[in-house]
Amino acid sequence: MPSLHVAIIGAGIIGLSTAFELLSRGCEVTVIDPDPGQGASRAAAGMLAPAAETTWGQGILHELLGASNQRYPQFVERIEQATGRRPDYLRNATLVVAAEPADRDALHELVQLQTNLGFSAEVLLPSAARRLEPALASNIAGAVRCAGDHQIDPRSVVRILAGHLDAHLVREPAVELQQRAGATRAVRTGSGRIIEADQVVLAAGLGTVAGAPRLPLRPVYGDIFRLQGPSGPPLLQHTVRGIVHRDPVYLVPRADGSLVLGASSREDGNEAVNIGQMHRLLDNARRLVPGIVDCSLNEVIARARPGTPDDRPLVGRLDDGLVLSTGYSRHGVLLTPFGSALAADLVQGLPPNAEHARAVDPARFTDPARFTDPRRAGGHAAPTRMEMHR
């Protein structure tokens, strides 16, 4: 019996990981993208932080984040076994730090929510936090240690998987989905090439393809720095997520002594780096970790993340030949093991976890009353009704 041939549009971390998952299950794959890994995945910091990411009113999302985080060790091991190369995965815990007493109130709210959701969080006095991280400012107001929140370098994942899948990559834009008898069966590329497929996975983030449905996505831009730490011991050992004047900021240390500093969140439509956001990020980071003034600048970039009205991704079957996997917003890296496995299950017609599949079903925006999460609690608006049509 011939193996299933799957065409995957989009070679960010979601598309490449979905291709890797399907290939490991015996499918044939073709991945279509003119510039693999250069979209939102290029900018992502790679924080695997379901506890530190908790916010009110998103219970089912945090269940998905926690479930995906639990899969990460096995996900990394599978990549290493298949490719002989290990992604840069560090199980280094996360400190959430309050800069001032007013920010400490937000920290206490976070701890209460984490406890309600079953995440582990250890409240620390400022002195205890500084013993763990001597580079923290002497006047921080408090901290929480999230032992289960780790990190991965998304660029390492993309680089390894793109190399592993090189023979399966078509480095062209996908310009059109083609149907037969009401089902998607082919993709036309920018050169006019027609790629026939038994199944198509649309994982193009914010990319547009003729014949695809109109989706409830919006670009949420983020500005992000990459810094090189001063010579000598690493500036930080833990990922540091800060609350400064109620603004979020983070510093993610890499194994090579560099740091990722981010990230803004803006919906101004400007693809270029925003100077005002850069200044605020640097100033807030300096307030928490004064030693960053001794770092040098490696890179500053901006990318758009595909946001949805309820911050949950869109993963589901759209017709007999088309599966959608997009809209991961700022959670794309953390949700990669979950999203790639779910998309592969849908492609192969395997029964997924019903509650999880329901939570990310794109149909929740065409009939929101059927998709209300009973665990929702204030602080987040109900999904907006959106049409999806060809």
Side-chain angles (χ1 to χ4, degrees):
M1 181 177 178
S3 61
L4 200 68
H5 178 221
V6 186
I8 299 163
I9 301 173
I13 194 169
I14 293 294
L16 290 170
S17 297
T18 302
F20 173 75
E21 182 69 33
L22 286 165
L23 196 65
S24 72
R25 298 184 185 192
C27 296
E28 296 180 16
V29 298
T30 300
V31 185
I32 307 164
D33 193 307
D35 203 4
Q38 298 304 303
S41 300
R42 181 72 181 169
M47 290 177 293
L48 309 178
E53 287 279 356
T54 50
T55 54
W56 291 101
Q58 295 185 330
I60 186 60
L61 173 60
H62 296 304
E63 183 176 317
L64 299 180
L65 297 178
S68 194
N69 192 44
Q70 290 177 0
R71 297 185 184 192
Y72 245 100
Q74 184 184 24
F75 176 66
V76 170
E77 291 296 330
R78 289 177 58 217
I79 291 176
E80 185 176 20
Q81 290 171 8
T83 69
R85 303 173 65 192
R86 185 175 180 84
D88 296 333
Y89 175 52
L90 296 178
R91 305 180 79 165
N92 62 340
T94 294
L95 293 179
V96 186
V97 180
E100 298 179 349
D103 300 316
R104 188 173 56 215
D105 295 338
L107 199 64
H108 290 164
E109 293 170 6
L110 174 66
V111 172
Q112 180 183 347
L113 181 56
Q114 289 168 333
T115 302
N116 292 344
L117 292 173
F119 290 121
S120 173
E122 178 188 3
V123 179
L124 301 176
L125 293 172
S127 56
R130 289 196 301 273
R131 281 195 294 272
L132 288 174
E133 284 295 354
L136 290 173
S138 60
N139 58 345
I140 61 169
V144 171
R145 182 176 183 269
C146 303
D149 285 7
H150 305 137
Q151 61 141 305
I152 195 166
D153 185 351
R155 292 185 179 184
S156 73
V157 178
V158 167
R159 183 170 59 250
I160 292 169
L161 291 183
H164 181 62
L165 295 162
D166 185 64
H168 304 270
L169 280 170
V170 174
R171 297 175 186 271
E172 298 183 41
V175 297
E176 183 185 24
L177 301 179
Q178 298 188 343
Q179 286 194 334
R180 295 194 193 95
T184 302
R185 295 302 181 204
V187 180
R188 181 169 63 87
T189 71
S191 69
R193 176 180 176 183
I194 304 298
I195 299 175
E196 305 277 350
D198 300 302
Q199 294 282 298
V200 175
V201 177
L202 182 57
L206 290 161
T208 57
V209 183
R214 189 176 67 191
L215 301 170
L217 296 175
R218 69 190 192 282
V220 181
Y221 289 90
D223 307 280
I224 194 163
F225 291 85
R226 279 170 170 77
L227 310 175
Q228 189 61 48
S231 60
L235 187 62
L236 294 172
Q237 298 288 342
H238 297 74
T239 295
V240 172
R241 298 176 64 108
I243 307 170
V244 184
H245 309 303
R246 293 278 176 156
D247 281 343
V249 65
Y250 59 73
L251 284 158
V252 184
R254 297 288 193 230
D256 63 0
S258 65
L259 296 158
V260 182
L261 164 60
S264 64
S265 182
R266 51 186 176 82
E267 300 185 38
D268 56 7
N270 185 2
E271 297 181 0
V273 173
N274 182 282
I275 297 298
Q277 296 289 345
M278 288 173 57
H279 178 269
R280 180 157 57 180
L281 286 170
L282 283 168
D283 195 47
N284 286 345
R286 181 192 56 80
R287 170 67 179 80
L288 293 174
V289 183
I292 69 158
V293 298
D294 297 320
C295 294
S296 55
L297 180 63
N298 287 340
E299 180 185 49
V300 58
I301 60 173
R303 289 291 189 273
R305 297 156 290 200
T308 65
D310 60 7
D311 290 336
R312 303 201 302 265
L314 306 172
V315 188
R317 179 166 290 284
L318 299 185
D319 67 38
D320 286 345
L322 181 62
V323 169
L324 179 68
S325 183
T326 187
Y328 289 84
S329 188
R330 69 182 188 274
H331 304 299
V333 176
L334 176 49
L335 285 174
T336 290
F338 161 79
S340 57
L342 176 56
D345 287 346
L346 292 168
V347 163
Q348 294 187 301
L350 301 176
N353 178 298
E355 184 179 16
H356 291 176
R358 185 172 178 268
V360 297
D361 191 332
R364 69 187 185 273
F365 294 109
T366 59
D367 190 2
R370 291 176 50 231
F371 288 85
T372 301
D373 177 9
R375 287 164 294 178
R376 292 173 68 89
H380 204 86
T384 303
R385 179 179 292 272
M386 302 286 291
E387 281 192 11
M388 292 172 59
H389 61 79
R390 295 187 182 276

